[in-house]
Amino acid sequence: MAYHKVNADQRAQGHSPYLDNDELQATALELEWDMEKELEEPGFDHFRLDGAVQHHLGNSQSPDLDLEPIQPSSSPKGRFQRLQEDPDYISHYTRQAPKSNRCSFFQILKVFCTALILFIFGILIGYYGHKKCSSPSTSQEPNSLHIFHEILKEIKAENIQQIYRDLLQFPREDDVDIAMKTLVQWSSQGLEDVQLVNYSVLLDLPGSSSNTITLKNNGECFYPSGQQCNTETKILHSQDLLHSYAAYSAKGMLEAELVDIQYGTMEDLIRIQSITNVTKKIALLKLGQSPLLYKLSLLEDAGFGGVLLYIDPCDLPKTTDLVDKAFMVSLNSGGDPSTPGYASIDGSYRQNRLNLTPLLVQPISAALAKKIVSFPEDAVQKNRCIRLQMPPTVKKVISLNIQSVTTYKTISNVIGYLKGTVFPDRYVIIGSHHDRLNNYGGQAWASSTAIITAFIQALMLKVKRGWRPDRTIVFCSWGGTSFGNIGSYEWAEDLKRVLQKNVVAYVSLHNPVRGNSTLHPVASPSLQQLAAESQSSSCVEKTKCPRYNVSSVQIQGDSDYFINHLGVPATQFSYEDIRTSENSNFLSEALFPVHSTKTEELDPSFSLHESIAKLTGQVALQIANAPVLPFNALDVALEVQNSLKGNFCDEVDIPQLLSVASRLRDTAELFQSDEMRPANDPKERAPIRVRMLNDVLQSLEKSFLVHRAPPGLYRNILYKLDERTSQFSVLLEALEHRKLHQSNETIQAALSEVLNSINSAQVYFKAGLDVFETTLAGKK
């Protein structure tokens, strides 16, 4: 049939009706494309060569799929619509008889056999070429939404609860053992490639005896919880007593005057330093309002020698009873302290870093803080919380005794891969944690692990029926999280070059149910729209899932490396208690004992867990399967402009910042309208163009990583310290720093960092637009 068509074309050009060998060679390429177009014509699905094996096109779920509905995503000429042919070309053609009989029978047979072979060869090329071209378009959005719904409806609260209870039956002490159990669970669900990745890292663990705080005025000795030092208490509460400490604090004893500095803000420090010399004294510091590492860096610069750290009762959620509970904190900014910036693999040089600060830091309970400041019991007023504060006329001298031990331990990560079919080299990472090296952190690790395991279970049911995501989904259960996200840092440092190229997004499951009052969604600016849309479709308890404004604020957990070192868009959903105070940010840095945060008391029916699992699954599936990554470039540009508004502009002259931010918005708007919108129409979608577009979107947040940021503040300037402030954190900190040191050097350096970041993003988008314009011009 197609052979006739080629012959007719040549006939119209005056060629001989017979094809000799030279002519056959000259028309081979034309024949190949004509065979492919012939396969696309209506009715060709009924054509079959005698003796040929019949194949089915499409994926394994639809073995009877016809050829006609499957359109190639682009034609050989590079256009976005299918080429049309003359439907009446056969009616103009009539085979003519030979003009002479000079050819012998064997010559005719030879030509005929050659033509037949080429005919069959052309059909095979066209068939498989058509099948290959059609494969990217088999992932159709309407069908994908139906598939997502089928996967998510398999996530059930009772399944998560059962997995959670199974995890708690396992002994707590060994990180490697719980990681192995997680690996077995994931493998049993059908996840093909699951790995256990171990690292030997330096940990700071409790010593053989508890740390103590002694009031020198009356000689009373207390443990961090507020209980008096005696043998009976030490035996009854040995685990709590031992694990109430600051990992990587300085060790030893310090006797000094106690100075109340409240939340340790710049104003607090300026006020205190104006009335007393703080050198080698001990600061009484409240957790909250800003990152702990940042506040400790200020105290260190000021000359303090030690810190008593506590949470003001007014900042604690009313639904919890944590007043008499001490807690653990980590002073590690991330990764193995002995291998900063590089992976802890065999042969790596190990630095001698037994402590990460010269300060002696000790967390204490709010109950002990009340005793230290001599807070009168009759000061408690109905319907009003009185904050703890040491009277200015009172002077107290205390003695700190801190004895923790640094040692090398093995921590384990569990990494599972579900390979994608269209973009297998692009990764969507979903991260939970299984940290069991100490008794602190509550049972959030089991919640986190149970949710990710339930999602794998639901996903693999669909995979076993033949479906796969377009992009690879990587499931990670991290170890060493409570010591400074050590597991995730070491793995990411180990695979840094691969991850810089391949990771498109990180979806966090860090402490997903830490309260039961309200849903708290966090997402980087490029993912805020997707996170907001997912809430309306996936939330289980509608009363607890309002249409919430998704914020870009600093979050705790293993997303840290991906956000701050790789510039990967990230999102996280979690349930929290309604915040009782404007100073309650960063309270999650404190890790309380297991018995004080029982998950089954917060969520008895596990419906909140189900809601988090479905929200997480919805976002991950959208990112993994969308032909064009669902990242919003314009939202990033708008976030930058909003960060330069308000009172901030009155204090700093930033005309250049405003100018380059305006150019960024214009370029992002043009990029979104000219490139992203057309690419979201399947008729306008060419595979190479989509790949180029996704490469631009994947790296759009990398420009906003500054080289240096104060301890505890994100290097990714798109994230804010809290929901109340919209300005860039590094610029706000630089303004505060100027108040303390009376110097403009810090603010000028911070302004330069931010300016270069915004300009880099604008140049990046502009370069992307130029590439697309050049590509189009070349095709025209």
Side-chain angles (χ1 to χ4, degrees):
M1 183 174 177
Y3 169 78
H4 292 173
K5 179 179 175 183
V6 174
N7 221 358
D9 293 339
Q10 291 180 341
R11 174 72 175 170
Q13 298 171 14
H15 289 281
S16 169
Y18 292 101
L19 297 176
D20 55 26
N21 288 336
D22 292 337
E23 289 173 317
L24 285 168
Q25 293 173 2
T27 60
L29 293 177
E30 287 184 291
L31 181 64
E32 175 183 334
W33 170 235
D34 280 273
M35 293 311 99
E36 182 174 351
K37 288 199 291 186
E38 199 66 26
L39 282 170
E40 297 176 14
E41 291 178 7
F44 188 78
D45 52 330
H46 302 295
F47 175 78
R48 179 179 175 184
L49 288 175
D50 292 338
V53 179
Q54 186 170 355
H55 297 276
H56 294 292
L57 293 178
N59 57 37
S60 58
Q61 287 181 273
S62 305
D64 298 324
L65 195 61
D66 289 335
L67 289 172
E68 183 58 27
I70 303 180
Q71 302 285 343
S73 55
S74 65
S75 73
K77 294 185 180 180
R79 297 183 61 82
F80 291 106
Q81 69 274 4
R82 181 180 176 181
L83 295 178
Q84 299 298 319
E85 301 178 35
D86 181 7
D88 300 322
Y89 72 90
I90 294 182
S91 63
H92 301 308
Y93 171 73
T94 305
R95 177 178 288 274
Q96 297 183 4
K99 292 183 178 180
S100 66
N101 293 322
R102 289 178 296 174
C103 295
S104 67
F105 171 78
F106 292 104
Q107 289 174 320
I108 296 173
L109 182 62
K110 182 179 179 181
V111 171
F112 177 78
C113 291
T114 303
L116 183 62
I117 291 170
L118 286 174
F119 177 76
I120 296 172
F121 184 66
I123 286 181
L124 292 174
I125 290 177
Y127 173 82
Y128 287 107
H130 178 82
K131 182 176 181 180
K132 185 176 181 180
C133 289
S134 299
S135 59
S137 62
T138 57
S139 179
Q140 300 168 8
E141 284 92 334
N143 191 38
S144 293
L145 294 176
H146 176 68
I147 291 173
F148 299 166
H149 177 72
E150 289 184 343
I151 293 171
L152 297 178
K153 75 177 183 181
E154 294 295 334
I155 299 176
K156 297 181 174 63
E158 55 268 26
N159 293 343
I160 301 174
Q161 185 178 41
Q162 186 58 53
I163 297 169
Y164 172 85
R165 290 176 174 174
D166 289 344
L167 289 169
L168 291 184
Q169 297 302 314
F170 207 73
R172 303 172 183 168
E173 291 77 16
D174 200 328
D175 182 80
V176 178
D177 287 345
I178 194 66
M180 277 299 302
K181 182 173 183 180
T182 302
L183 182 145
V184 170
Q185 278 188 327
W186 291 6
S187 299
S188 66
Q189 303 300 334
L191 201 58
E192 306 106 340
D193 185 5
V194 189
Q195 306 167 5
L196 188 70
V197 186
N198 296 328
Y199 296 98
S200 178
V201 300
L202 186 66
L203 299 182
D204 193 28
L205 301 174
S208 57
S209 59
S210 174
N211 298 338
T212 58
I213 303 96
T214 303
L215 304 181
K216 303 305 290 185
N217 299 42
N218 54 20
E220 287 185 298
C221 173
F222 295 96
Y223 294 124
S225 63
Q227 297 164 312
Q228 289 193 335
C229 304
N230 59 64
T231 306
E232 183 181 354
T233 303
K234 190 170 181 177
I235 294 173
L236 291 176
H237 304 280
S238 58
Q239 285 299 314
D240 285 5
L241 295 174
L242 290 178
H243 288 95
S244 300
Y245 76 113
Y248 305 104
S249 163
K251 287 82 174 169
M253 294 185 65
L254 175 64
E255 182 177 317
E257 182 184 342
L258 190 66
V259 179
D260 185 2
I261 61 166
Q262 292 295 297
Y263 289 96
T265 64
M266 203 68 70
E267 287 79 6
D268 291 330
L269 282 174
I270 293 172
R271 173 179 53 83
I272 291 297
Q273 286 183 307
S274 66
I275 60 176
T276 185
N277 180 10
V278 300
T279 303
K280 295 300 179 182
K281 293 184 178 179
I282 298 173
L284 182 63
L285 174 67
K286 296 180 182 181
L287 192 67
Q289 193 165 343
S290 59
L292 174 61
L293 291 183
Y294 174 63
K295 293 193 285 191
L296 293 181
S297 70
L298 296 179
L299 298 182
E300 184 180 328
D301 291 342
F304 279 94
V307 178
L308 277 187
L309 182 67
Y310 73 101
I311 299 178
D312 194 292
C314 297
D315 296 334
L316 289 169
K318 295 179 180 178
T319 54
T320 58
D321 182 20
L322 301 175
V323 174
D324 61 344
K325 302 292 190 302
F327 52 91
M328 172 197 170
V329 294
S330 173
L331 309 185
N332 181 13
S333 59
D336 178 8
S338 69
T339 59
Y342 54 95
S344 298
I345 59 176
D346 292 342
S348 294
Y349 171 67
R350 305 281 180 166
Q351 299 184 22
N352 184 22
R353 304 182 76 193
L354 301 182
N355 47 269
L356 300 180
T357 176
L359 297 171
L360 277 78
V361 182
Q362 177 60 55
I364 62 173
S365 69
L368 179 56
K370 286 182 179 181
K371 294 177 182 178
I372 291 175
V373 302
S374 302
F375 186 75
E377 291 299 327
D378 58 0
V380 178
Q381 298 181 14
K382 189 176 183 181
N383 299 324
R384 185 185 173 197
C385 186
I386 306 297
R387 297 190 178 279
L388 297 185
Q389 186 173 5
M390 182 181 292
T393 57
V394 175
K395 287 191 177 182
K396 293 200 174 182
V397 177
I398 67 169
S399 176
L400 267 180
N401 181 16
I402 296 178
Q403 303 296 332
S404 55
V405 178
T406 52
T407 184
Y408 283 94
K409 288 263 186 185
T410 298
I411 62 101
S412 302
N413 298 325
V414 185
I415 314 293
Y417 296 86
L418 175 57
K419 295 291 185 181
T421 56
V422 181
F423 307 109
D425 60 334
R426 293 295 180 261
Y427 302 159
V428 178
I429 297 182
I430 306 176
S432 65
H433 66 96
H434 59 262
D435 197 349
R436 293 308 302 268
L437 284 169
N438 59 51
N439 225 17
Y440 274 50
Q443 299 170 346
W445 74 271
S447 293
S448 177
T449 306
I451 288 174
I452 196 172
T453 303
F455 178 53
I456 292 172
Q457 187 179 62
L459 198 61
M460 296 311 297
L461 290 175
K462 196 67 177 176
V463 171
K464 290 172 184 177
R465 295 197 289 267
W467 175 87
R468 276 184 177 272
D470 289 350
R471 296 178 181 87
T472 296
I473 301 178
V474 185
F475 301 95
C476 304
S477 183
W478 308 113
T481 297
S482 62
F483 289 90
N485 308 315
I486 292 180
S488 56
Y489 258 75
E490 296 311 307
W491 183 77
E493 288 173 346
D494 199 2
L495 278 70
K496 184 175 181 178
R497 300 300 177 212
V498 176
L499 299 177
Q500 282 177 330
K501 177 184 176 183
N502 292 357
V503 178
V504 298
Y506 186 93
V507 185
S508 174
L509 278 168
H510 180 76
N511 294 5
V513 182
R514 61 192 74 159
N516 56 12
S517 298
T518 186
L519 181 69
H520 185 227
V522 175
S524 58
S526 59
L527 278 175
Q528 285 185 4
Q529 185 174 320
L530 177 63
E533 291 171 352
S534 299
Q535 290 181 71
S536 59
S537 60
S538 298
C539 210
V540 175
E541 292 193 0
K542 298 294 181 182
T543 57
K544 295 186 178 181
C545 298
R547 187 75 176 176
Y548 219 80
N549 289 328
V550 184
S551 59
S552 297
V553 296
Q554 292 191 193
I555 55 178
Q556 302 297 312
D558 294 284
S559 58
D560 183 87
Y561 190 91
F562 300 92
I563 293 172
N564 289 304
H565 295 270
L566 299 179
V568 172
T571 186
Q572 172 184 286
F573 297 95
S574 61
Y575 274 98
E576 298 183 355
D577 287 316
I578 295 175
R579 298 184 174 183
T580 59
S581 166
E582 63 179 11
N583 301 309
S584 57
N585 293 303
F586 299 99
L587 293 186
S588 57
E589 293 180 314
L591 302 177
F592 284 92
V594 169
H595 55 74
S596 63
T597 52
K598 288 187 177 179
T599 299
E600 295 204 58
E601 293 178 4
L602 293 173
D603 185 22
S605 65
F606 274 72
S607 59
L608 302 183
H609 286 74
E610 180 183 337
S611 177
I612 295 294
K614 291 188 174 183
L615 283 165
T616 300
Q618 176 81 6
V619 169
L621 289 170
Q622 289 276 17
I623 299 172
N625 289 277
V628 177
L629 288 169
F631 300 163
N632 197 309
L634 184 56
D635 282 356
V636 176
L638 292 173
E639 185 81 9
V640 169
Q641 280 197 319
N642 290 335
S643 298
L644 295 173
K645 293 179 179 178
N647 297 330
F648 178 78
C649 295
D650 299 333
E651 301 186 55
V652 181
D653 185 21
I654 51 171
Q656 288 180 306
L657 277 175
L658 293 172
S659 175
V660 74
S662 179
R663 292 201 301 272
L664 172 62
R665 176 176 176 172
D666 292 342
T667 308
E669 195 168 5
L670 190 62
F671 181 84
Q672 190 125 333
S673 61
D674 285 10
E675 306 304 334
M676 291 190 67
R677 194 169 297 145
N680 280 307
D681 182 355
K683 295 179 181 178
E684 299 278 335
R685 199 179 287 153
I688 188 170
R689 190 177 180 85
V690 169
R691 184 63 185 241
M692 291 166 58
L693 177 59
N694 283 335
D695 286 345
V696 174
L697 291 171
Q698 180 181 332
S699 300
L700 61 86
E701 291 194 17
K702 289 180 171 61
S703 297
F704 297 98
L705 300 181
V706 295
H707 292 94
R708 293 177 301 275
L713 271 64
Y714 271 12
R715 286 182 56 213
N716 189 326
I717 62 174
L718 294 175
Y719 288 78
K720 310 301 184 297
L721 282 177
D722 53 59
E723 286 95 345
R724 302 188 308 275
T725 57
S726 62
Q727 287 77 28
F728 289 120
S729 300
V730 292
L731 292 184
L732 287 176
E733 190 279 332
L735 285 171
E736 293 293 303
H737 196 270
R738 184 175 65 175
K739 296 177 185 177
L740 183 64
H741 296 281
Q742 301 297 314
S743 170
N744 285 331
E745 185 178 347
T746 304
I747 188 65
Q748 292 301 325
L751 283 169
S752 179
E753 288 264 29
V754 173
L755 175 66
N756 280 284
S757 294
I758 301 172
N759 184 65
S760 174
Q762 193 275 330
V763 171
Y764 179 75
F765 280 127
K766 182 67 167 59
L769 282 170
D770 290 344
V771 168
F772 284 115
E773 289 173 3
T774 303
T775 303
L776 280 178
K779 289 186 176 181
K780 289 179 181 177

